PDB file of all heavy atoms in Angstrom:
ATOM      1  N   ALA A  23       0.816  -1.211   0.000  1.00 59.00           N
ATOM      2  CA  ALA A  23       0.000   0.000   0.000  1.00 59.00           C
ATOM      3  C   ALA A  23       0.851   1.264   0.000  1.00 59.00           C
ATOM      4  O   ALA A  23       0.435   2.287  -0.531  1.00 59.00           O
ATOM      5  CB  ALA A  23      -0.931  -0.007   1.209  1.00 59.00           C
ATOM      6  N   SER A  24       2.042   1.213   0.582  1.00 76.00           N
ATOM      7  CA  SER A  24       2.874   2.409   0.689  1.00 76.00           C
ATOM      8  C   SER A  24       3.763   2.630  -0.533  1.00 76.00           C
ATOM      9  O   SER A  24       4.550   3.559  -0.559  1.00 76.00           O
ATOM     10  CB  SER A  24       3.733   2.318   1.951  1.00 76.00           C
ATOM     11  OG  SER A  24       4.632   1.236   1.841  1.00 76.00           O
ATOM     12  N   VAL A  25       3.617   1.804  -1.549  1.00 87.00           N
ATOM     13  CA  VAL A  25       4.443   1.889  -2.750  1.00 87.00           C
ATOM     14  C   VAL A  25       3.612   2.447  -3.901  1.00 87.00           C
ATOM     15  O   VAL A  25       2.448   2.093  -4.059  1.00 87.00           O
ATOM     16  CB  VAL A  25       4.989   0.485  -3.123  1.00 87.00           C
ATOM     17  CG1 VAL A  25       5.716   0.514  -4.448  1.00 87.00           C
ATOM     18  CG2 VAL A  25       5.889  -0.043  -2.023  1.00 87.00           C
ATOM     19  N   ASN A  26       4.203   3.325  -4.698  1.00 87.00           N
ATOM     20  CA  ASN A  26       3.544   3.790  -5.920  1.00 87.00           C
ATOM     21  C   ASN A  26       3.832   2.786  -7.016  1.00 87.00           C
ATOM     22  O   ASN A  26       4.976   2.651  -7.455  1.00 87.00           O
ATOM     23  CB  ASN A  26       4.062   5.176  -6.335  1.00 87.00           C
ATOM     24  CG  ASN A  26       3.507   6.275  -5.483  1.00 87.00           C
ATOM     25  OD1 ASN A  26       2.388   6.176  -5.000  1.00 87.00           O
ATOM     26  ND2 ASN A  26       4.271   7.314  -5.285  1.00 87.00           N
ATOM     27  N   TRP A  27       2.791   2.078  -7.448  1.00 90.00           N
ATOM     28  CA  TRP A  27       2.922   1.050  -8.466  1.00 90.00           C
ATOM     29  C   TRP A  27       2.679   1.646  -9.837  1.00 90.00           C
ATOM     30  O   TRP A  27       1.881   2.565  -9.994  1.00 90.00           O
ATOM     31  CB  TRP A  27       1.910  -0.068  -8.216  1.00 90.00           C
ATOM     32  CG  TRP A  27       2.176  -0.804  -6.954  1.00 90.00           C
ATOM     33  CD1 TRP A  27       1.636  -0.560  -5.729  1.00 90.00           C
ATOM     34  CD2 TRP A  27       3.080  -1.892  -6.789  1.00 90.00           C
ATOM     35  NE1 TRP A  27       2.137  -1.441  -4.807  1.00 90.00           N
ATOM     36  CE2 TRP A  27       3.026  -2.268  -5.428  1.00 90.00           C
ATOM     37  CE3 TRP A  27       3.913  -2.596  -7.650  1.00 90.00           C
ATOM     38  CZ2 TRP A  27       3.779  -3.323  -4.916  1.00 90.00           C
ATOM     39  CZ3 TRP A  27       4.661  -3.637  -7.143  1.00 90.00           C
ATOM     40  CH2 TRP A  27       4.590  -3.996  -5.789  1.00 90.00           C
ATOM     41  N   ARG A  28       3.357   1.082 -10.849  1.00 89.00           N
ATOM     42  CA  ARG A  28       3.102   1.518 -12.222  1.00 89.00           C
ATOM     43  C   ARG A  28       3.239   0.339 -13.170  1.00 89.00           C
ATOM     44  O   ARG A  28       3.996  -0.591 -12.917  1.00 89.00           O
ATOM     45  CB  ARG A  28       4.016   2.652 -12.627  1.00 89.00           C
ATOM     46  CG  ARG A  28       5.468   2.293 -12.807  1.00 89.00           C
ATOM     47  CD  ARG A  28       6.240   3.480 -13.355  1.00 89.00           C
ATOM     48  NE  ARG A  28       7.484   3.122 -13.968  1.00 89.00           N
ATOM     49  CZ  ARG A  28       7.651   2.608 -15.177  1.00 89.00           C
ATOM     50  NH1 ARG A  28       6.615   2.335 -15.926  1.00 89.00           N
ATOM     51  NH2 ARG A  28       8.841   2.347 -15.656  1.00 89.00           N
ATOM     52  N   LYS A  29       2.480   0.409 -14.242  1.00 85.00           N
ATOM     53  CA  LYS A  29       2.581  -0.585 -15.318  1.00 85.00           C
ATOM     54  C   LYS A  29       3.464  -0.024 -16.411  1.00 85.00           C
ATOM     55  O   LYS A  29       3.592   1.191 -16.568  1.00 85.00           O
ATOM     56  CB  LYS A  29       1.202  -0.877 -15.912  1.00 85.00           C
ATOM     57  CG  LYS A  29       0.370  -1.810 -15.095  1.00 85.00           C
ATOM     58  CD  LYS A  29      -0.800  -2.308 -15.896  1.00 85.00           C
ATOM     59  CE  LYS A  29      -2.043  -1.583 -15.507  1.00 85.00           C
ATOM     60  NZ  LYS A  29      -3.228  -2.094 -16.178  1.00 85.00           N
ATOM     61  N   SER A  30       4.010  -0.902 -17.197  1.00 76.00           N
ATOM     62  CA  SER A  30       4.844  -0.493 -18.312  1.00 76.00           C
ATOM     63  C   SER A  30       4.058   0.363 -19.288  1.00 76.00           C
ATOM     64  O   SER A  30       2.872   0.123 -19.522  1.00 76.00           O
ATOM     65  CB  SER A  30       5.370  -1.734 -19.044  1.00 76.00           C
ATOM     66  OG  SER A  30       5.976  -1.360 -20.267  1.00 76.00           O
ATOM     67  N   THR A  31       4.728   1.319 -19.876  1.00 74.00           N
ATOM     68  CA  THR A  31       4.088   2.124 -20.926  1.00 74.00           C
ATOM     69  C   THR A  31       3.844   1.284 -22.167  1.00 74.00           C
ATOM     70  O   THR A  31       3.080   1.659 -23.038  1.00 74.00           O
ATOM     71  CB  THR A  31       4.954   3.341 -21.297  1.00 74.00           C
ATOM     72  OG1 THR A  31       6.255   2.883 -21.686  1.00 74.00           O
ATOM     73  CG2 THR A  31       5.074   4.301 -20.126  1.00 74.00           C
ATOM     74  N   ARG A  32       4.467   0.122 -22.249  1.00 71.00           N
ATOM     75  CA  ARG A  32       4.272  -0.789 -23.373  1.00 71.00           C
ATOM     76  C   ARG A  32       3.155  -1.801 -23.123  1.00 71.00           C
ATOM     77  O   ARG A  32       2.898  -2.663 -23.947  1.00 71.00           O
ATOM     78  CB  ARG A  32       5.572  -1.525 -23.685  1.00 71.00           C
ATOM     79  CG  ARG A  32       6.648  -0.576 -24.154  1.00 71.00           C
ATOM     80  CD  ARG A  32       7.910  -1.326 -24.479  1.00 71.00           C
ATOM     81  NE  ARG A  32       8.966  -0.428 -24.840  1.00 71.00           N
ATOM     82  CZ  ARG A  32       9.351  -0.191 -26.081  1.00 71.00           C
ATOM     83  NH1 ARG A  32       8.747  -0.787 -27.086  1.00 71.00           N
ATOM     84  NH2 ARG A  32      10.335   0.614 -26.339  1.00 71.00           N
ATOM     85  N   SER A  33       2.502  -1.686 -21.994  1.00 72.00           N
ATOM     86  CA  SER A  33       1.401  -2.591 -21.666  1.00 72.00           C
ATOM     87  C   SER A  33       0.257  -2.393 -22.651  1.00 72.00           C
ATOM     88  O   SER A  33      -0.133  -1.272 -22.954  1.00 72.00           O
ATOM     89  CB  SER A  33       0.907  -2.300 -20.249  1.00 72.00           C
ATOM     90  OG  SER A  33      -0.242  -3.037 -19.971  1.00 72.00           O
ATOM     91  N   THR A  34      -0.280  -3.496 -23.140  1.00 72.00           N
ATOM     92  CA  THR A  34      -1.354  -3.422 -24.128  1.00 72.00           C
ATOM     93  C   THR A  34      -2.739  -3.520 -23.506  1.00 72.00           C
ATOM     94  O   THR A  34      -3.734  -3.457 -24.203  1.00 72.00           O
ATOM     95  CB  THR A  34      -1.217  -4.543 -25.171  1.00 72.00           C
ATOM     96  OG1 THR A  34      -1.307  -5.804 -24.493  1.00 72.00           O
ATOM     97  CG2 THR A  34       0.101  -4.439 -25.923  1.00 72.00           C
ATOM     98  N   GLY A  35      -2.821  -3.714 -22.206  1.00 69.00           N
ATOM     99  CA  GLY A  35      -4.108  -3.814 -21.557  1.00 69.00           C
ATOM    100  C   GLY A  35      -4.743  -5.182 -21.662  1.00 69.00           C
ATOM    101  O   GLY A  35      -5.885  -5.378 -21.283  1.00 69.00           O
ATOM    102  N   GLY A  36      -4.003  -6.167 -22.167  1.00 71.00           N
ATOM    103  CA  GLY A  36      -4.542  -7.510 -22.311  1.00 71.00           C
ATOM    104  C   GLY A  36      -4.497  -8.335 -21.041  1.00 71.00           C
ATOM    105  O   GLY A  36      -4.917  -9.481 -21.038  1.00 71.00           O
ATOM    106  N   GLY A  37      -4.007  -7.768 -19.965  1.00 69.00           N
ATOM    107  CA  GLY A  37      -3.967  -8.472 -18.698  1.00 69.00           C
ATOM    108  C   GLY A  37      -2.705  -9.265 -18.448  1.00 69.00           C
ATOM    109  O   GLY A  37      -2.558  -9.889 -17.405  1.00 69.00           O
ATOM    110  N   ASN A  38      -1.778  -9.275 -19.386  1.00 75.00           N
ATOM    111  CA  ASN A  38      -0.517  -9.998 -19.202  1.00 75.00           C
ATOM    112  C   ASN A  38       0.581  -9.028 -18.807  1.00 75.00           C
ATOM    113  O   ASN A  38       1.588  -8.896 -19.489  1.00 75.00           O
ATOM    114  CB  ASN A  38      -0.133 -10.741 -20.491  1.00 75.00           C
ATOM    115  CG  ASN A  38      -1.122 -11.819 -20.821  1.00 75.00           C
ATOM    116  OD1 ASN A  38      -1.643 -12.475 -19.934  1.00 75.00           O
ATOM    117  ND2 ASN A  38      -1.407 -11.995 -22.090  1.00 75.00           N
ATOM    118  N   CYS A  39       0.360  -8.354 -17.716  1.00 84.00           N
ATOM    119  CA  CYS A  39       1.277  -7.295 -17.311  1.00 84.00           C
ATOM    120  C   CYS A  39       1.783  -7.526 -15.900  1.00 84.00           C
ATOM    121  O   CYS A  39       1.172  -8.230 -15.107  1.00 84.00           O
ATOM    122  CB  CYS A  39       0.568  -5.946 -17.324  1.00 84.00           C
ATOM    123  SG  CYS A  39      -0.183  -5.532 -18.885  1.00 84.00           S
ATOM    124  N   VAL A  40       2.892  -6.913 -15.617  1.00 86.00           N
ATOM    125  CA  VAL A  40       3.374  -6.824 -14.253  1.00 86.00           C
ATOM    126  C   VAL A  40       3.439  -5.350 -13.879  1.00 86.00           C
ATOM    127  O   VAL A  40       3.465  -4.478 -14.742  1.00 86.00           O
ATOM    128  CB  VAL A  40       4.763  -7.487 -14.065  1.00 86.00           C
ATOM    129  CG1 VAL A  40       4.690  -8.980 -14.301  1.00 86.00           C
ATOM    130  CG2 VAL A  40       5.809  -6.847 -14.937  1.00 86.00           C
ATOM    131  N   GLU A  41       3.413  -5.102 -12.600  1.00 91.00           N
ATOM    132  CA  GLU A  41       3.555  -3.747 -12.086  1.00 91.00           C
ATOM    133  C   GLU A  41       4.849  -3.680 -11.296  1.00 91.00           C
ATOM    134  O   GLU A  41       5.260  -4.653 -10.667  1.00 91.00           O
ATOM    135  CB  GLU A  41       2.377  -3.397 -11.173  1.00 91.00           C
ATOM    136  CG  GLU A  41       1.062  -3.369 -11.899  1.00 91.00           C
ATOM    137  CD  GLU A  41      -0.121  -3.149 -10.991  1.00 91.00           C
ATOM    138  OE1 GLU A  41      -0.110  -3.640  -9.848  1.00 91.00           O
ATOM    139  OE2 GLU A  41      -1.058  -2.494 -11.428  1.00 91.00           O
ATOM    140  N   VAL A  42       5.467  -2.525 -11.323  1.00 93.00           N
ATOM    141  CA  VAL A  42       6.724  -2.305 -10.617  1.00 93.00           C
ATOM    142  C   VAL A  42       6.510  -1.191  -9.613  1.00 93.00           C
ATOM    143  O   VAL A  42       5.881  -0.178  -9.911  1.00 93.00           O
ATOM    144  CB  VAL A  42       7.848  -1.922 -11.602  1.00 93.00           C
ATOM    145  CG1 VAL A  42       9.138  -1.636 -10.863  1.00 93.00           C
ATOM    146  CG2 VAL A  42       8.055  -3.005 -12.633  1.00 93.00           C
ATOM    147  N   GLY A  43       7.023  -1.393  -8.420  1.00 93.00           N
ATOM    148  CA  GLY A  43       6.957  -0.382  -7.376  1.00 93.00           C
ATOM    149  C   GLY A  43       8.335  -0.160  -6.794  1.00 93.00           C
ATOM    150  O   GLY A  43       9.097  -1.106  -6.578  1.00 93.00           O
ATOM    151  N   PHE A  44       8.662   1.089  -6.567  1.00 90.00           N
ATOM    152  CA  PHE A  44       9.976   1.423  -6.027  1.00 90.00           C
ATOM    153  C   PHE A  44       9.823   1.839  -4.576  1.00 90.00           C
ATOM    154  O   PHE A  44       9.197   2.844  -4.273  1.00 90.00           O
ATOM    155  CB  PHE A  44      10.614   2.537  -6.856  1.00 90.00           C
ATOM    156  CG  PHE A  44      10.867   2.120  -8.277  1.00 90.00           C
ATOM    157  CD1 PHE A  44       9.935   2.362  -9.268  1.00 90.00           C
ATOM    158  CD2 PHE A  44      12.027   1.451  -8.608  1.00 90.00           C
ATOM    159  CE1 PHE A  44      10.149   1.954 -10.573  1.00 90.00           C
ATOM    160  CE2 PHE A  44      12.263   1.040  -9.915  1.00 90.00           C
ATOM    161  CZ  PHE A  44      11.320   1.302 -10.896  1.00 90.00           C
ATOM    162  N   ALA A  45      10.377   1.025  -3.686  1.00 87.00           N
ATOM    163  CA  ALA A  45      10.379   1.316  -2.260  1.00 87.00           C
ATOM    164  C   ALA A  45      11.722   1.958  -1.910  1.00 87.00           C
ATOM    165  O   ALA A  45      12.550   2.188  -2.783  1.00 87.00           O
ATOM    166  CB  ALA A  45      10.152   0.038  -1.464  1.00 87.00           C
ATOM    167  N   THR A  46      11.955   2.192  -0.646  1.00 84.00           N
ATOM    168  CA  THR A  46      13.166   2.887  -0.213  1.00 84.00           C
ATOM    169  C   THR A  46      14.442   2.227  -0.727  1.00 84.00           C
ATOM    170  O   THR A  46      15.283   2.876  -1.320  1.00 84.00           O
ATOM    171  CB  THR A  46      13.204   2.971   1.324  1.00 84.00           C
ATOM    172  OG1 THR A  46      12.019   3.612   1.766  1.00 84.00           O
ATOM    173  CG2 THR A  46      14.408   3.753   1.793  1.00 84.00           C
ATOM    174  N   SER A  47      14.587   0.933  -0.518  1.00 88.00           N
ATOM    175  CA  SER A  47      15.824   0.268  -0.941  1.00 88.00           C
ATOM    176  C   SER A  47      15.536  -1.025  -1.698  1.00 88.00           C
ATOM    177  O   SER A  47      16.395  -1.893  -1.796  1.00 88.00           O
ATOM    178  CB  SER A  47      16.694  -0.041   0.283  1.00 88.00           C
ATOM    179  OG  SER A  47      15.993  -0.901   1.156  1.00 88.00           O
ATOM    180  N   THR A  48      14.319  -1.140  -2.246  1.00 92.00           N
ATOM    181  CA  THR A  48      13.899  -2.361  -2.906  1.00 92.00           C
ATOM    182  C   THR A  48      13.031  -2.031  -4.109  1.00 92.00           C
ATOM    183  O   THR A  48      12.270  -1.062  -4.089  1.00 92.00           O
ATOM    184  CB  THR A  48      13.070  -3.233  -1.938  1.00 92.00           C
ATOM    185  OG1 THR A  48      13.808  -3.423  -0.743  1.00 92.00           O
ATOM    186  CG2 THR A  48      12.717  -4.562  -2.529  1.00 92.00           C
ATOM    187  N   VAL A  49      13.131  -2.828  -5.139  1.00 94.00           N
ATOM    188  CA  VAL A  49      12.232  -2.747  -6.279  1.00 94.00           C
ATOM    189  C   VAL A  49      11.309  -3.958  -6.189  1.00 94.00           C
ATOM    190  O   VAL A  49      11.776  -5.094  -6.063  1.00 94.00           O
ATOM    191  CB  VAL A  49      13.001  -2.748  -7.615  1.00 94.00           C
ATOM    192  CG1 VAL A  49      12.030  -2.681  -8.784  1.00 94.00           C
ATOM    193  CG2 VAL A  49      13.993  -1.595  -7.665  1.00 94.00           C
ATOM    194  N   LEU A  50      10.008  -3.707  -6.210  1.00 94.00           N
ATOM    195  CA  LEU A  50       9.017  -4.770  -6.077  1.00 94.00           C
ATOM    196  C   LEU A  50       8.321  -4.995  -7.406  1.00 94.00           C
ATOM    197  O   LEU A  50       8.036  -4.039  -8.133  1.00 94.00           O
ATOM    198  CB  LEU A  50       7.990  -4.391  -5.009  1.00 94.00           C
ATOM    199  CG  LEU A  50       8.558  -4.085  -3.627  1.00 94.00           C
ATOM    200  CD1 LEU A  50       7.482  -3.478  -2.737  1.00 94.00           C
ATOM    201  CD2 LEU A  50       9.127  -5.343  -3.007  1.00 94.00           C
ATOM    202  N   VAL A  51       8.019  -6.248  -7.711  1.00 92.00           N
ATOM    203  CA  VAL A  51       7.329  -6.604  -8.943  1.00 92.00           C
ATOM    204  C   VAL A  51       6.159  -7.500  -8.563  1.00 92.00           C
ATOM    205  O   VAL A  51       6.311  -8.418  -7.743  1.00 92.00           O
ATOM    206  CB  VAL A  51       8.266  -7.354  -9.924  1.00 92.00           C
ATOM    207  CG1 VAL A  51       7.542  -7.681 -11.218  1.00 92.00           C
ATOM    208  CG2 VAL A  51       9.519  -6.534 -10.201  1.00 92.00           C
ATOM    209  N   ARG A  52       4.978  -7.234  -9.141  1.00 90.00           N
ATOM    210  CA  ARG A  52       3.806  -8.072  -8.882  1.00 90.00           C
ATOM    211  C   ARG A  52       3.004  -8.250 -10.157  1.00 90.00           C
ATOM    212  O   ARG A  52       3.107  -7.464 -11.098  1.00 90.00           O
ATOM    213  CB  ARG A  52       2.930  -7.474  -7.781  1.00 90.00           C
ATOM    214  CG  ARG A  52       2.237  -6.186  -8.180  1.00 90.00           C
ATOM    215  CD  ARG A  52       1.405  -5.627  -7.055  1.00 90.00           C
ATOM    216  NE  ARG A  52       0.749  -4.384  -7.480  1.00 90.00           N
ATOM    217  CZ  ARG A  52       0.062  -3.604  -6.678  1.00 90.00           C
ATOM    218  NH1 ARG A  52      -0.062  -3.913  -5.397  1.00 90.00           N
ATOM    219  NH2 ARG A  52      -0.502  -2.505  -7.133  1.00 90.00           N
ATOM    220  N   ASP A  53       2.190  -9.287 -10.176  1.00 87.00           N
ATOM    221  CA  ASP A  53       1.302  -9.589 -11.292  1.00 87.00           C
ATOM    222  C   ASP A  53       0.087  -8.667 -11.217  1.00 87.00           C
ATOM    223  O   ASP A  53      -0.567  -8.581 -10.180  1.00 87.00           O
ATOM    224  CB  ASP A  53       0.865 -11.051 -11.207  1.00 87.00           C
ATOM    225  CG  ASP A  53       0.030 -11.521 -12.383  1.00 87.00           C
ATOM    226  OD1 ASP A  53      -0.564 -10.684 -13.096  1.00 87.00           O
ATOM    227  OD2 ASP A  53      -0.037 -12.742 -12.580  1.00 87.00           O
ATOM    228  N   THR A  54      -0.235  -7.996 -12.307  1.00 84.00           N
ATOM    229  CA  THR A  54      -1.364  -7.076 -12.328  1.00 84.00           C
ATOM    230  C   THR A  54      -2.677  -7.788 -12.013  1.00 84.00           C
ATOM    231  O   THR A  54      -3.531  -7.245 -11.332  1.00 84.00           O
ATOM    232  CB  THR A  54      -1.461  -6.383 -13.708  1.00 84.00           C
ATOM    233  OG1 THR A  54      -0.258  -5.663 -13.931  1.00 84.00           O
ATOM    234  CG2 THR A  54      -2.625  -5.420 -13.778  1.00 84.00           C
ATOM    235  N   LYS A  55      -2.841  -9.017 -12.500  1.00 84.00           N
ATOM    236  CA  LYS A  55      -4.091  -9.752 -12.300  1.00 84.00           C
ATOM    237  C   LYS A  55      -4.187 -10.383 -10.918  1.00 84.00           C
ATOM    238  O   LYS A  55      -5.286 -10.713 -10.482  1.00 84.00           O
ATOM    239  CB  LYS A  55      -4.248 -10.856 -13.353  1.00 84.00           C
ATOM    240  CG  LYS A  55      -4.413 -10.335 -14.762  1.00 84.00           C
ATOM    241  CD  LYS A  55      -4.631 -11.474 -15.731  1.00 84.00           C
ATOM    242  CE  LYS A  55      -3.359 -12.286 -15.845  1.00 84.00           C
ATOM    243  NZ  LYS A  55      -3.380 -13.322 -16.873  1.00 84.00           N
ATOM    244  N   ALA A  56      -3.080 -10.571 -10.247  1.00 85.00           N
ATOM    245  CA  ALA A  56      -3.080 -11.239  -8.940  1.00 85.00           C
ATOM    246  C   ALA A  56      -2.237 -10.439  -7.959  1.00 85.00           C
ATOM    247  O   ALA A  56      -1.216 -10.909  -7.455  1.00 85.00           O
ATOM    248  CB  ALA A  56      -2.552 -12.659  -9.078  1.00 85.00           C
ATOM    249  N   ARG A  57      -2.658  -9.244  -7.683  1.00 84.00           N
ATOM    250  CA  ARG A  57      -1.872  -8.332  -6.851  1.00 84.00           C
ATOM    251  C   ARG A  57      -1.621  -8.865  -5.452  1.00 84.00           C
ATOM    252  O   ARG A  57      -0.637  -8.516  -4.824  1.00 84.00           O
ATOM    253  CB  ARG A  57      -2.567  -6.973  -6.787  1.00 84.00           C
ATOM    254  CG  ARG A  57      -2.531  -6.274  -8.120  1.00 84.00           C
ATOM    255  CD  ARG A  57      -3.236  -4.942  -8.071  1.00 84.00           C
ATOM    256  NE  ARG A  57      -3.048  -4.267  -9.338  1.00 84.00           N
ATOM    257  CZ  ARG A  57      -3.969  -3.513  -9.899  1.00 84.00           C
ATOM    258  NH1 ARG A  57      -5.129  -3.329  -9.306  1.00 84.00           N
ATOM    259  NH2 ARG A  57      -3.733  -2.934 -11.059  1.00 84.00           N
ATOM    260  N   GLU A  58      -2.520  -9.686  -4.945  1.00 86.00           N
ATOM    261  CA  GLU A  58      -2.363 -10.254  -3.608  1.00 86.00           C
ATOM    262  C   GLU A  58      -1.535 -11.537  -3.633  1.00 86.00           C
ATOM    263  O   GLU A  58      -1.271 -12.130  -2.602  1.00 86.00           O
ATOM    264  CB  GLU A  58      -3.735 -10.536  -3.000  1.00 86.00           C
ATOM    265  CG  GLU A  58      -4.616  -9.304  -2.869  1.00 86.00           C
ATOM    266  CD  GLU A  58      -4.046  -8.247  -1.943  1.00 86.00           C
ATOM    267  OE1 GLU A  58      -3.370  -8.614  -0.951  1.00 86.00           O
ATOM    268  OE2 GLU A  58      -4.258  -7.058  -2.191  1.00 86.00           O
ATOM    269  N   GLY A  59      -1.147 -12.000  -4.817  1.00 87.00           N
ATOM    270  CA  GLY A  59      -0.492 -13.290  -4.967  1.00 87.00           C
ATOM    271  C   GLY A  59       0.956 -13.353  -4.564  1.00 87.00           C
ATOM    272  O   GLY A  59       1.537 -14.424  -4.533  1.00 87.00           O
TER     273      GLY A  59
END
């Protein structure tokens, strides 16, 4: 919740995307369709 997540500008909206969030000292990656996964 405390991370600003973003999708790639190359995302086509088909649901096969990942999101990237930049935390203080870590880069986080999650599945757009399964954010809680």
Side-chain angles (χ1 to χ4, degrees):
S24 64
V25 173
N26 284 329
W27 295 94
R28 70 174 200 78
K29 281 194 258 184
S30 169
T31 56
R32 295 181 184 258
S33 173
T34 61
N38 295 323
C39 304
V40 295
E41 296 175 325
V42 178
F44 297 93
T46 304
S47 61
T48 307
V49 179
L50 303 170
V51 182
R52 68 181 180 187
D53 185 339
T54 300
K55 294 183 292 187
R57 292 179 174 144
E58 300 297 327

